[in-house]
Amino acid sequence: MTHTGTVYLVGAGPGDPELLTLRAARLIESASLIVHDGLVDPAILALASADARLISVAKKRSKHTLPQDQINALLVREARAGRDVIRLKGGDPFVFGRGGEEMEDCHAAGVPVQVVPGISAANGAAAASGIPLTHRDSASIVSFVAGQCKGLKDQNWAGLAGKNRTLVIYMGVKTAPQIAEKLMEDGLAPDMPVAIIENAARPEMRVLRGPLAALPQLVEQQQVISPALIVIGDVTARENTAVAQMALEAAA
């Protein structure tokens, strides 16, 4: 009787291999099979053995290598064949990573699952750019939303952004005009500070700032591409002198 392998849902963090958890690094280095997302940094995949089999299931807007149900079926099929599977995801597998769906399908098929948390994209991006998601003087509430989904205009985001609040928007680059319009229609001030964090925690990271009303123009003029997060709230306007000093020293 064939032994059933285990599916490990592993968070790869925001991009820098140094930000992997110890367990994630050990699993990647010892893996024989890794099913990975497109946003996993190549430097992290390079930690895998030369003998490891790497399967990309990259997702892009309106173009998926494999639909989600086929990814789920792939994990189950490989595990039932007796192979342990590292399902490697950017950030944390349970924060907009569809890890919950994959876990449910594996459990339904009798496949054991272990979850290895990762530093979420929001936490990693904010910390790397010197933006405190919470601050005693600026924000005591943080909300995460997906900016790329069906029925975006009809979603109720009322109260998620504004005074003493921080709103983090995943997958919002392509829908920046609709996001800005939606938030201002909900009563958010056009001059509310906004930051776009592109390629967080990587050497090519960029942090772009401006008012909410100019968000679409900022994305277009600066040619922002994914992976990128949009952070909205007063915390984005706070100057972090320590991070600024570190950036100056790194550039020297």
Side-chain angles (χ1 to χ4, degrees):
M1 189 173 183
T2 303
H3 165 74
T4 300
T6 297
V7 171
Y8 295 87
L9 302 177
V10 180
D16 186 343
E18 294 292 316
L19 297 179
L20 288 168
T21 65
L22 291 174
R23 190 177 186 211
R26 286 196 294 263
L27 284 169
I28 294 168
E29 290 169 353
S30 63
S32 58
L33 174 59
I34 298 176
V35 178
H36 64 90
D37 286 347
L39 294 181
V40 175
D41 195 279
I44 291 176
L45 296 176
L47 298 175
S49 164
D51 298 327
R53 179 183 169 206
L54 273 58
I55 301 176
S56 173
V57 290
K59 294 184 176 72
K60 293 185 179 180
R61 185 174 174 87
S62 303
K63 183 180 180 181
H64 294 177
T65 305
L66 282 180
Q68 186 62 49
D69 60 343
Q70 291 185 31
I71 296 174
N72 298 358
L74 170 65
L75 302 179
V76 169
R77 182 170 65 251
E78 294 291 341
R80 280 181 166 173
R83 288 179 277 273
D84 289 340
V85 184
I86 307 302
R87 176 66 175 105
L88 192 58
K89 301 168 174 290
D92 180 90
F94 278 5
V95 182
F96 297 120
R98 300 189 179 180
E101 299 173 40
E102 294 169 357
M103 181 181 67
E104 290 166 358
D105 272 25
C106 286
H107 283 167
V111 171
V113 176
Q114 293 189 29
V115 181
V116 181
I119 296 175
S120 73
N123 290 351
S129 60
I131 295 174
L133 293 180
T134 64
H135 192 286
R136 286 195 301 170
D137 297 330
S138 303
S140 59
I141 297 173
V142 184
S143 300
F144 301 153
V145 300
Q148 181 178 308
C149 54
K150 294 180 180 179
L152 174 63
K153 186 173 180 61
D154 297 328
Q155 288 192 40
N156 182 10
W157 290 5
L160 296 185
K163 186 175 176 58
N164 295 322
R165 296 172 183 266
T166 303
L167 179 62
V168 181
I169 302 174
Y170 285 65
M171 301 168 285
V173 171
K174 296 295 185 181
T175 54
Q178 295 95 315
I179 288 169
E181 180 182 4
K182 177 181 180 61
L183 290 172
M184 288 187 290
E185 285 180 353
D186 286 345
L188 208 58
D191 61 353
M192 172 62 69
V194 169
I196 304 170
I197 308 169
E198 180 187 73
N199 289 311
R202 303 180 188 189
E204 63 271 29
M205 181 179 77
R206 288 197 299 169
V207 182
L208 308 170
R209 289 179 169 85
L212 176 60
L215 175 62
Q217 291 76 21
L218 192 60
V219 169
E220 181 178 2
Q221 291 171 3
Q222 296 297 323
Q223 299 181 341
V224 177
I225 59 173
S226 294
L229 287 178
I230 299 171
V231 184
I232 299 174
D234 289 334
V235 292
T236 67
R238 301 192 67 88
E239 182 178 2
N240 190 311
T241 54
V243 170
Q245 182 61 36
M246 289 172 60
L248 289 172
E249 291 174 357

